[in-house]
Amino acid sequence: MRHIELLLTLLALMFTSTSETCISRHSITAVEGEFFYLRYCSSASEHDSEKNTIKWYKSSGSHGRIELNSSSSPRITLHDYVLEFWPVELEDSGSYFFQMGNDTRKWKLNVIGRSKGSCFVEKLLTSKTVEVQKSLHIACKHDYFQPLANRTSLYKNCKKINNGANPVLQKNAEFEDQGYYTCVFSIPHNGKLFNVTKTINVTIVGDRSKIIPVLLGPKLNRVKVELGKDVNLNCSALANEKDQIYWNLWDENGKEPNVHEENIKKNRALDGKLYVSRMLKIENINAKNLKFSYNCTVASEGGTDTINFVLLKKEDMADIPGYIFTRGMIVAVLISVVVVCLVIMGVIYRVDLALFYRHFMRKDETLTAIVDEIHSLIEKSRRLIIVLSKSYMSNEVRYELESGLHEALVERKIKIILIEFTPVSDFTFFPQSLKLLKSHRVLKWNADKPLSYNSRFWKNLLYLMPAKVVKPRGTESEVFPVLSQS
Ligand SMILES: *[C@@H]1O[C@H](CO)[C@@H](O)[C@H](O)[C@H]1NC(C)=O
Ligand SMILES: *[C@@H]1O[C@H](CO)[C@@H](O)[C@H](O)[C@H]1NC(C)=O
Ligand SMILES: *[C@@H]1O[C@H](CO)[C@@H](O)[C@H](O)[C@H]1NC(C)=O
Ligand SMILES: *[C@@H]1O[C@H](CO)[C@@H](O)[C@H](O)[C@H]1NC(C)=O
Ligand SMILES: *[C@@H]1O[C@H](CO)[C@@H](O)[C@H](O)[C@H]1NC(C)=O
């Protein structure tokens, strides 16, 4: 049982194998310059004993039947069921006969020329249609050529895309994949390479499943138009190949003669979607066109969709803005002139403007300047002489005193000399820090009239001041300060 099964499988394999490589078609076309073969479709029941009765014949034109043998042509080889051409040429066209015992087989061979500038012959194509997004499978497989070939190449539109023992293209089809796929089998024979090309014309078609068509854009479209001008209304839909798209242009009064429905345009996107569009052209728009409602419909078995266009009169551009435009221009020019004048005036009278501004704002920058001046002078000093006098104690002096004390006591840059002109006890305001001053730094003025240069008071003061070369007498008046009680 098992053996019979195995035998049947083997037989079936042998049969498929031979039926794929043998040539059962009656009429065959080959390309000049390529390797070509004829093979008798033997059935498995035929006995090997009959093989030695095999004969091959050719007949062409006026020549009768000629038996073929290895010496008939250097380009042909014969073995058993196969006749091979290395390569086949135009002169090989004709009828070929295979004879074995009582069995005869006939083929009609037509050899055609090569196409110049192309890697394939357009007349020798097989076609294949693939739906977009479905599997696209192209393999350079041939039961007879493949075992003989030492190289196989796959070309798309004559550009090599794949190389190797078994080039295959396997992907989800896109519209870009459409084209001519050529397999070139390069078969070595007697030290030369012979080519066999097989080309498939691959067509990619859209998704065959139906969709419910939809028109693109809003359902109601208001289009601004001018009387006497033309307008094009665009009606586009996502639809199926066989769907209808049309404009409803008829009412009880018939159709306006200035309205023209254009031809349908179809455009398939890369993703397989089909867009159909149909334009409506309205020439020399008149008042009747403004009253009409232009409806565009797409219809399929699955349903319909309609969109609506109405024409609105565009407000006449020249009417209203006519004088408004002129006035607007005049105002704009006037404003520009005024602005330019103001800028020029500002530049010329800037001094007067600044003075006016100061007067108006009652601005007094001198107040703060004083303070800065005092501060910088104090910074340059090495001694701070404080004369305690009631009549002299103003706010500015207070500031002077305080910043001086800061320099002396905090920064420790200057030394303090205190001259008591009025006794300390008479002051309501008296900085605490001054009370800490060493006693030799406090000088008391006890006289009613100026003291002489040699007096103890001036000598003590000179001593507390930084040492300096004494100038000649001419400058005396500057050196001696005058203290007087007011
Ligand atoms: C290849 O297929 C396409 C689509 O079917 C067809 O239009 C074209 O004519 C075919 N090419 C040849 C050379 O037959
Ligand atoms: C194919 O065969 C030819 C002829 O025998 C030889 O010259 C060539 O190198 C071979 N190519 C490869 C890729 O094996
Ligand atoms: C065979 O095809 C190859 C490309 O695969 C090409 O280069 C070579 O010229 C062809 N040979 C013949 C004899 O046509
Ligand atoms: C009409 O509209 C569609 C979709 O917006 C567009 O693809 C098509 O090019 C338009 N047709 C014209 C003639 O403008
Ligand atoms: C277009 O559609 C609107 C609204 O559905 C309808 O009132 C109008 O009569 C239609 N126009 C035509 C010419 O069919």
Side-chain angles (χ1 to χ4, degrees):
M1 193 64 182
R2 265 237 167 134
H3 285 165
I4 294 170
E5 258 179 31
L6 194 67
L7 189 68
L8 281 174
T9 323
L10 270 174
L11 282 177
L13 273 176
M14 279 171 67
F15 187 74
T16 40
S17 163
T18 38
S19 70
E20 273 171 22
T21 60
C22 76
I23 293 176
S24 53
R25 280 165 297 142
H26 173 68
S27 186
I28 305 156
T29 307
V31 182
E32 64 161 331
E34 292 200 348
F35 166 64
F36 177 74
Y37 75 96
L38 288 171
R39 183 184 174 129
Y40 171 68
C41 296
S42 65
S43 68
S45 59
E46 275 160 339
H47 299 293
D48 277 357
S49 59
E50 283 191 300
K51 264 192 183 171
N52 50 20
T53 69
I54 289 172
K55 282 193 163 48
W56 285 90
Y57 300 95
K58 180 195 175 183
S59 79
S60 63
S62 52
H63 305 270
R65 239 191 220 205
I66 304 160
E67 196 190 334
L68 297 170
N69 54 46
S70 306
S71 58
S72 304
S73 160
R75 294 185 289 102
I76 63 164
T77 59
L78 297 147
H79 38 85
D80 299 342
Y81 307 118
V82 186
L83 170 64
E84 290 177 338
F85 298 81
W86 301 96
V88 71
E89 294 294 357
L90 290 174
E91 68 205 45
D92 295 325
S93 294
S95 296
Y96 289 83
F97 303 88
F98 170 87
Q99 197 179 324
M100 183 172 71
N102 294 328
D103 204 0
T104 319
R105 183 90 178 86
K106 184 189 169 188
W107 296 272
K108 198 168 172 299
L109 176 64
N110 178 29
V111 182
I112 57 171
R114 309 190 63 82
S115 335
K116 294 244 158 27
S118 178
C119 63
F120 63 90
V121 178
E122 290 200 354
K123 283 181 201 159
L124 277 184
L125 292 175
T126 50
S127 293
K128 186 172 176 147
T129 302
V130 181
E131 219 175 288
V132 74
Q133 294 307 317
K134 297 279 161 64
S135 160
L136 170 66
H137 179 87
I138 291 164
C140 290
K141 274 181 97 170
H142 195 278
D143 287 344
Y144 196 84
F145 302 134
Q146 229 180 334
L148 300 176
N150 70 354
R151 191 184 57 212
T152 312
S153 307
L154 176 60
Y155 295 75
K156 182 192 174 188
N157 297 331
C158 296
K159 284 204 186 76
K160 191 180 274 184
I161 58 168
N162 211 327
N163 221 342
N166 192 8
V168 177
L169 178 76
Q170 172 74 59
K171 69 193 292 273
N172 282 346
E174 288 174 55
F175 281 95
E176 291 164 322
D177 295 326
Q178 182 155 312
Y180 300 97
Y181 292 83
T182 306
C183 291
V184 179
F185 301 90
S186 299
I187 302 169
H189 178 78
N190 287 346
K192 275 181 158 177
L193 272 181
F194 295 87
N195 287 344
V196 185
T197 63
K198 293 283 164 204
T199 302
I200 311 171
N201 181 7
V202 174
T203 307
I204 311 290
V205 294
D207 191 348
R208 283 172 183 148
S209 56
K210 287 254 159 101
I211 58 156
I212 296 168
V214 273
L215 286 162
L216 308 176
K219 288 280 164 266
L220 178 61
N221 301 271
R222 294 171 207 276
V223 184
K224 292 217 167 117
V225 293
E226 282 176 59
L227 289 180
K229 295 272 170 71
D230 299 351
V231 71
N232 288 309
L233 305 179
N234 183 355
C235 179
S236 291
L238 188 58
N240 305 296
E241 189 70 44
K242 295 240 169 74
D243 292 353
Q244 300 291 314
I245 184 165
Y246 55 90
W247 288 88
N248 316 319
L249 302 171
W250 296 81
D251 64 3
E252 56 271 19
N253 305 321
K255 181 175 112 33
E256 283 298 312
N258 64 337
V259 179
H260 308 286
E261 201 178 12
E262 312 257 297
N263 291 333
I264 297 172
K265 288 206 178 87
K266 292 185 181 177
N267 183 20
R268 187 152 320 254
L270 280 181
D271 57 6
K273 292 193 176 122
L274 181 71
Y275 291 88
V276 294
S277 66
R278 192 158 202 178
M279 302 290 289
L280 187 72
K281 186 170 185 157
I282 305 173
E283 291 172 323
N284 190 12
I285 297 165
N286 59 41
K288 277 187 191 167
N289 299 132
L290 298 181
K291 293 198 195 104
F292 202 86
S293 174
Y294 294 91
N295 297 339
C296 175
T297 301
V298 63
S300 80
E301 297 155 10
T304 63
D305 191 18
T306 298
I307 55 170
N308 180 254
F309 289 80
V310 258
L311 307 186
L312 298 177
K313 196 177 160 195
K314 201 188 282 178
E315 295 304 336
D316 202 4
M317 278 285 282
D319 270 2
I320 308 156
Y323 64 95
I324 287 182
F325 180 77
T326 328
R327 277 187 196 175
M329 280 306 281
I330 291 170
V331 169
V333 168
L334 279 179
I335 289 174
S336 320
V337 169
V338 168
V339 167
V340 169
C341 287
L342 283 177
V343 169
I344 292 171
M345 298 277 280
V347 170
I348 293 173
Y349 294 107
R350 67 180 186 282
V351 173
D352 305 66
L353 285 172
L355 290 179
F356 174 75
Y357 172 76
R358 282 182 193 181
H359 176 74
F360 186 74
M361 297 301 287
R362 302 181 152 274
K363 210 175 169 190
D364 193 348
E365 288 171 340
T366 58
L367 285 176
T368 55
I370 279 179
V371 171
D372 289 348
E373 205 92 310
I374 292 169
H375 194 77
S376 75
L377 280 174
I378 286 172
E379 272 185 345
K380 285 180 197 156
S381 305
R382 275 170 291 175
R383 296 289 185 274
L384 172 67
I385 303 178
I386 302 167
V387 181
L388 281 177
S389 159
K390 238 183 180 174
S391 57
Y392 194 59
M393 196 51 88
S394 69
N395 271 345
E396 281 159 32
V397 175
R398 245 190 209 192
Y399 172 78
E400 246 175 301
L401 183 61
E402 271 168 11
S403 62
L405 284 173
H406 173 84
E407 292 280 319
L409 302 168
V410 179
E411 310 270 333
R412 294 189 178 280
K413 275 186 191 155
I414 43 181
K415 287 177 176 153
I416 296 171
I417 303 166
L418 182 67
I419 299 174
E420 276 186 37
F421 195 69
T422 313
V424 172
S425 52
D426 290 7
F427 287 94
T428 47
F429 154 79
F430 192 75
Q432 281 295 312
S433 45
L434 273 186
K435 291 178 183 164
L436 306 170
L437 216 60
K438 285 177 184 145
S439 62
H440 77 270
R441 294 203 161 267
V442 181
L443 302 178
K444 287 197 168 67
W445 178 268
N446 283 329
D448 288 337
K449 53 180 183 194
L451 295 171
S452 75
Y453 175 70
N454 289 327
S455 70
R456 182 72 15 213
F457 176 85
W458 287 121
K459 278 187 178 165
N460 283 343
L461 183 58
L462 215 55
Y463 164 72
L464 292 173
M465 291 298 280
K468 192 181 177 189
V469 175
V470 179
K471 295 233 170 100
R473 284 226 131 208
T475 53
E476 245 177 46
S477 59
E478 289 170 37
V479 174
F480 292 99
V482 177
L483 294 175
S484 68
Q485 200 153 19
S486 57

